Amino acid sequence: MSQKLEDILKEKGPIKKIGVIGMGYVGIPAAALFADSDRFDHVLGFQRNSPSSGYKIDMLNRGESPLKGEEPGLEELLQKVVEAGKFECTPDFSRIAELDAVTLAIQTPFADSKALEPDFGALKEGIRNAGRYLQPSMLVVLESTITPGTTDDMARKILEEESGLVAGEDFALAHAPERVMVGRLLRNIQEHDRIVGGIDEASTDRAVELYSPVLTKGNVIPMTATAAEVTKTAENTFRDLQIAAVNQLALYCESMGINVYDVRTGIDSLKGEGITRAMLWPGAGVGGHCLTKDTYHLERGVKLGNENLDYPENAESIYVLARRVNDFMPVHMYNLTQAALQRINKDIKDSKIAMLGWAFINDSDDARNPPSEPYRDMIVDAGAEILIHDPHVLQYPDVDILKGMEEVISGSDAVVIFTGHKEYFNLKPDVIKKMTGMKTTVIIDGRNVIEPDKFIEAGFIYKGIGRGDKNGHEIIK
Ligand code: SAJ
């Protein structure tokens, strides 16, 4: 523990003025909740006045949220804190010098999903801005999802270079990963436990002081900065691993001619202290911006600066293997489509495919890294025609998303369900058959939304993820 930092913070007194850099879906609710706490006097939201997002400044200063989609309570809270004069948004980063603490909530996408290298460009610019105006006794907190080791290394170096100050002596530095999900931003910040990790004890304590007042149900869980980075990336890595485990089980059940959902129910029945199994759901793949990336953040973190990893020789990381299993599911959907069409002597390349569902998650318009995209690319590469329906997704680069189900299904040789939108749970065989106008149609269920027998008895060729009990069914004329 640095006595110098401890003394400086004591001299400074409690945190009163806070800055949040990055007015996005993480920074805006965080800033509003800090401003609403009577423990703090004033909050500045920092937003670059860039052509693409400068409009947010005036909106936020009118108490309006620039975030799309429903966020319960957010607009009211913004109105309240703006009218109370406790929150303002500014492009003037020099005002960081006025503050006691500044948090950075800037996205860290992967520049190239193939190379799996994160793009820290925007985050680095934010850190540089914080460093440029950093004063002794300030606290800097990174909230973005970052590769383990980033706070203690890259962020520390940039802040020290820009400020001439020393982290852990002149200023406090910590990581407090966001755990918010769109649609429940405020509630997640208030109710989830908050992981808070400093580069040293004084930094951790100062960050605990910052976050405790905004928690209603959640508790602060203190640890080191690197442990906090590993916690965030590993909690998503573990979810991806659990999904891969049930996806692999589904593939096994298909090959063994059994129903994975019977097996899932059986395993899930094992309940009780310490013996419960985390049985998630098999499906057409894993999308989004969390699970598709965070495994690679964790893997990079292990490799950077750790020479002494003891692991089975030449064995692949099970976490990376889990990513490969999940990324295989759209390929499996392609293989199921091909196998089903071949049962009626058709081949994908001359077929018309109707895809139901583009979004990566049910009943949402969120289409980041959707598993539907690799499937669609494979279908197009095979020379087939594909039309795509999604009731929520309005647009996607270079992809026409249609709203009329009949238009998409009309004349199609195969109907392929990729997302479990509620609209798809009540598809009727006779209605679909009429829409296709075909004597025999293939239907592929990637999300367990239809009842196989209803379609098989109506003369469809059915294939479903994990439905080894149905996938080889008799064809009913
Ligand atoms: N998926 C499956 N089977 C499952 C669960 C999900 O195939 O049993 C697929 C979904 O279809 C989707 C992908 O995985 O394509 C991701 O789904 P998700 O429910 O994990 O949603 P995300 O990606 O929005 O994950 C976020 C994460 N939250 C944060 O990073 C703050 C994750 O940690 C949460 O567990 C998850 O939301 C949640 O539980 O809602």
Side-chain angles (χ1 to χ4, degrees), residues 179-181 184 232 236 239 280-281 287 290 360 447:
R179 284 173 146 181
V180 295
M181 276 152 271
R184 40 196 190 211
K232 170 64 188 180
N236 285 337
R239 182 168 174 83
L280 292 178
W281 299 93
C290 304
F360 88 86
R447 295 291 175 189

Side-chain angles (χ1 to χ4, degrees), residues 36-336:
D36 193 40
S37 166
D38 56 14
R39 292 273 292 276
F40 306 124
D41 293 345
H42 197 64
V43 177
L44 291 178
F46 292 93
Q47 175 58 52
R48 289 176 308 169
N49 198 0
S50 64
S52 60
S53 45
Y55 70 92
K56 294 181 187 177
I57 300 168
D58 291 343
M59 274 190 86
L60 285 162
N61 285 328
R62 291 195 302 269
E64 293 165 23
S65 165
L67 300 179
K68 62 185 174 76
E70 272 304 299
E71 286 303 339
L74 183 59
E75 195 108 293
E76 296 83 341
L77 187 59
L78 280 169
Q79 290 283 353
K80 177 186 172 191
V81 293
V82 166
E83 281 161 18
K86 291 202 69 185
F87 170 73
E88 65 178 295
C89 184
T90 175
D92 178 3
F93 282 78
S94 70
R95 295 188 61 188
I96 287 173
E98 300 167 21
L99 305 171
D100 304 322
V102 62
T103 67
L104 291 91
I106 297 168
Q107 63 165 337
T108 52
F110 269 56
D112 169 354
S113 57
K114 300 285 175 289
L116 302 169
E117 282 303 311
D119 174 1
F120 284 145
L123 178 63
K124 281 182 179 173
E125 187 197 340
I127 297 170
R128 212 166 288 291
N129 272 325
R132 208 164 286 144
Y133 304 104
L134 194 62
Q135 303 299 313
S137 85
M138 273 178 68
L139 164 67
V140 179
V141 185
L142 304 185
E143 293 198 357
S144 314
T145 300
I146 47 184
T147 300
T150 300
T151 303
D152 211 9
D153 187 62
M154 178 189 87
R156 174 202 286 260
K157 283 187 182 135
I158 294 174
L159 290 166
E160 291 183 340
E161 265 164 37
E162 289 295 328
S163 65
L165 301 173
V166 177
E169 289 195 19
D170 302 314
F171 65 93
L173 176 59
H175 175 55
E178 54 85 7
R179 284 173 146 181
V180 295
M181 276 152 271
V182 289
R184 40 196 190 211
L185 298 176
L186 289 179
R187 190 154 56 84
N188 283 168
I189 294 176
Q190 291 174 305
E191 297 180 2
H192 277 167
D193 287 345
R194 191 71 191 241
I195 309 296
V196 172
I199 59 166
D200 57 24
E201 240 178 277
S203 296
T204 302
D205 293 346
R206 194 65 165 173
V208 168
E209 180 195 333
L210 176 65
Y211 286 98
S212 302
V214 299
L215 298 183
T216 52
K217 279 196 192 143
N219 298 306
V220 172
I221 301 177
M223 56 183 75
T224 66
T226 305
E229 290 160 337
V230 172
T231 300
K232 170 64 188 180
T233 50
E235 70 189 16
N236 285 337
T237 300
F238 269 61
R239 182 168 174 83
D240 194 58
L241 181 64
Q242 289 165 342
I243 297 169
V246 72
N247 276 337
Q248 181 165 334
L249 187 63
L251 298 175
Y252 283 12
C253 289
E254 284 182 39
S255 75
M256 292 187 278
I258 56 175
N259 179 353
V260 73
Y261 295 95
D262 291 342
V263 174
R264 183 187 183 285
T265 303
I267 297 173
D268 202 39
S269 70
L270 199 57
K271 297 208 183 308
E273 287 310 305
I275 60 169
T276 302
R277 299 293 187 271
M279 288 304 290
L280 292 178
W281 299 93
V286 171
H289 64 301
C290 304
L291 276 58
T292 55
K293 310 289 175 214
D294 289 358
T295 296
Y296 298 115
H297 275 304
L298 178 61
E299 294 291 327
R300 287 181 74 246
V302 170
K303 289 186 180 58
L304 296 175
N306 297 293
E307 298 74 39
N308 55 354
L309 173 65
D310 191 14
Y311 192 74
E313 201 168 341
N314 304 324
E316 181 177 25
S317 153
I318 57 171
Y319 304 143
V320 173
L321 185 53
R323 288 273 68 244
R324 286 177 53 194
V325 169
N326 288 334
D327 284 349
F328 175 72
M329 298 315 283
V331 177
H332 182 56
M333 287 290 285
Y334 179 90
N335 295 341
L336 288 175

Side-chain angles (χ1 to χ4, degrees), residues 203-477:
S203 296
T204 302
D205 293 346
R206 194 65 165 173
V208 168
E209 180 195 333
L210 176 65
Y211 286 98
S212 302
V214 299
L215 298 183
T216 52
K217 279 196 192 143
N219 298 306
V220 172
I221 301 177
M223 56 183 75
T224 66
T226 305
E229 290 160 337
V230 172
T231 300
K232 170 64 188 180
T233 50
E235 70 189 16
N236 285 337
T237 300
F238 269 61
R239 182 168 174 83
D240 194 58
L241 181 64
Q242 289 165 342
I243 297 169
V246 72
N247 276 337
Q248 181 165 334
L249 187 63
L251 298 175
Y252 283 12
C253 289
E254 284 182 39
S255 75
M256 292 187 278
I258 56 175
N259 179 353
V260 73
Y261 295 95
D262 291 342
V263 174
R264 183 187 183 285
T265 303
I267 297 173
D268 202 39
S269 70
L270 199 57
K271 297 208 183 308
E273 287 310 305
I275 60 169
T276 302
R277 299 293 187 271
M279 288 304 290
L280 292 178
W281 299 93
V286 171
H289 64 301
C290 304
L291 276 58
T292 55
K293 310 289 175 214
D294 289 358
T295 296
Y296 298 115
H297 275 304
L298 178 61
E299 294 291 327
R300 287 181 74 246
V302 170
K303 289 186 180 58
L304 296 175
N306 297 293
E307 298 74 39
N308 55 354
L309 173 65
D310 191 14
Y311 192 74
E313 201 168 341
N314 304 324
E316 181 177 25
S317 153
I318 57 171
Y319 304 143
V320 173
L321 185 53
R323 288 273 68 244
R324 286 177 53 194
V325 169
N326 288 334
D327 284 349
F328 175 72
M329 298 315 283
V331 177
H332 182 56
M333 287 290 285
Y334 179 90
N335 295 341
L336 288 175
T337 308
Q338 190 161 48
L341 285 169
Q342 277 161 2
R343 294 198 72 186
I344 45 175
N345 304 315
K346 289 187 179 178
D347 191 281
I348 282 189
K349 71 177 184 331
D350 309 318
S351 301
K352 182 172 179 285
I353 310 293
M355 174 184 254
L356 303 186
W358 184 258
F360 88 86
I361 199 151
N362 306 348
D363 305 323
S364 164
D365 66 352
D366 199 333
R368 283 173 285 189
N369 306 302
S372 48
E373 185 161 29
Y375 175 89
R376 171 247 185 199
D377 293 348
M378 284 183 275
I379 291 288
V380 170
D381 290 349
E385 185 190 347
I386 182 165
L387 290 184
I388 297 159
H389 176 271
D390 193 296
H392 302 281
V393 178
L394 298 176
Q395 59 187 9
Y396 191 86
D398 308 324
V399 177
D400 287 335
I401 309 285
L402 303 174
K403 291 291 167 265
M405 206 180 288
E406 181 142 12
E407 177 191 1
V408 169
I409 293 179
S410 168
S412 60
D413 301 288
V415 177
V416 183
I417 301 164
F418 244 87
T419 313
H421 291 320
K422 63 178 182 304
E423 287 82 356
Y424 303 144
F425 278 77
N426 50 23
L427 295 177
K428 302 277 183 294
D430 52 340
V431 172
I432 299 296
K433 194 167 202 136
K434 196 153 162 279
M435 283 183 181
T436 65
M438 295 289 189
K439 182 171 165 304
T440 307
T441 297
V442 160
I443 188 155
I444 312 291
D445 188 357
R447 295 291 175 189
N448 191 35
V449 298
I450 62 171
E451 176 40 59
D453 289 339
K454 281 192 189 140
F455 283 80
I456 293 167
E457 284 151 22
F460 282 74
I461 308 293
Y462 167 91
K463 297 267 185 199
I465 296 265
R467 293 309 301 264
D469 59 324
K470 297 292 179 187
N471 285 350
H473 67 82
E474 290 300 310
I475 298 177
I476 295 170
K477 298 289 181 203

